[in-house]
Amino acid sequence: NAEIHKNVIFIVMESMSGDFMGVFGNKKGLTPNLDRLTREGLFFPNLYATGTRTVRGLEALTLSIPPTPGQSILRRQGNENLFSLGFIFQDRGYDTAFIYGGHGYFDNMNYFFANNGFRTVDRTDIADENIHFENIWGICDEDLFDEVFRQANAAYAKKQPFMHMVMTTSNHRPYTYPDGRIDIPSKTGGRHGGVKYADYAIGYLIKEAQKKPWFKD
């Protein structure tokens, strides 16, 4: 049978441990949107982290490898043109992008992705007028997802399927986010506030994506 080339938006959520999710027993009600998605979509409860740092997660998700001794592959020399998710989709005519709300020079992310089948979009590529909230780590997840929509719309306008890998930042110190979104005011809830806002933003992503012409695919 012929391959079906669906659009893919691959959200990598900063520090989103299963410990925070209601579906895994957390009683604080921090992740209503993620919990709902476990019921409405495909849910794989037995996947485990490959390390304790973001770069370890990114190398595993991009290259399908277990943790390696020493430095992350993202930060090593000779890390170009590896067998990556980006090249697999590129070979099938996809627009592939790594989209990050912070500065992608951190942890060598931009270099790694640019040399492994992705174009890169980071804070320096996002117009100031499209930013409504940011902190030292990057723009808030809602603004990041709005940029994802712009990138997806552009690919759709070219009649090109897309696979966009998106790295969030809101669930990271200093755990600040726009006011009025959740019942934990910014700067008061620490990690729990960051988790709940990051989950709120996932709800925003799904709700707004459903309005797009490419969502049916």
Side-chain angles (χ1 to χ4, degrees), residues 193-206:
V195 169
K196 193 163 190 176
Y197 171 74
D199 177 83
Y200 167 88
I202 290 293
Y204 170 81
L205 169 74
I206 298 298

Side-chain angles (χ1 to χ4, degrees), residues 146 149 202-212 214-215:
D146 283 340
F149 295 145
I202 290 293
Y204 170 81
L205 169 74
I206 298 298
K207 182 180 72 173
E208 294 301 313
Q210 288 173 335
K211 303 174 184 177
K212 308 300 183 187
W214 40 259
F215 185 79

Side-chain angles (χ1 to χ4, degrees), residues 32-143:
N33 292 292
L34 288 173
D35 292 334
R36 177 172 50 81
L37 288 174
T38 68
R39 299 187 296 272
E40 296 179 356
L42 294 173
F43 176 48
F44 300 90
N46 293 313
L47 297 178
Y48 293 88
T50 61
T52 58
R53 294 291 308 279
T54 300
V55 285
R56 291 299 197 175
L58 289 173
E59 72 182 7
L61 295 170
T62 309
L63 304 175
S64 298
I65 58 166
T68 52
Q71 188 68 270
S72 165
I73 291 172
L74 269 71
R75 301 178 62 171
R76 295 186 193 184
Q77 292 184 336
N79 65 3
E80 304 89 356
N81 300 310
L82 303 175
F83 185 69
S84 76
L85 196 64
F87 288 131
I88 290 171
F89 277 89
Q90 264 193 6
D91 288 346
R92 287 153 175 81
Y94 276 70
D95 173 54
T96 56
F98 174 70
I99 307 172
Y100 178 55
H103 293 278
Y105 62 78
F106 181 78
D107 272 344
N108 206 39
M109 287 187 287
N110 276 355
Y111 182 86
F112 171 80
F113 282 98
N115 286 280
N116 284 287
F118 296 81
R119 61 185 179 85
T120 61
V121 179
D122 74 355
R123 175 63 184 89
T124 62
D125 301 301
I126 302 171
D128 288 344
E129 61 264 26
N130 292 326
I131 307 303
H132 303 94
F133 185 94
E134 62 183 319
N135 59 31
I136 190 67
W137 205 251
I139 66 176
C140 69
D141 288 356
E142 288 170 273
D143 287 344

Side-chain angles (χ1 to χ4, degrees), residues 177-193:
Y177 41 84
D179 290 328
R181 303 301 198 271
I182 60 172
D183 58 2
I184 304 174
S186 182
K187 302 179 184 177
T188 69
R191 166 50 64 77
H192 285 169

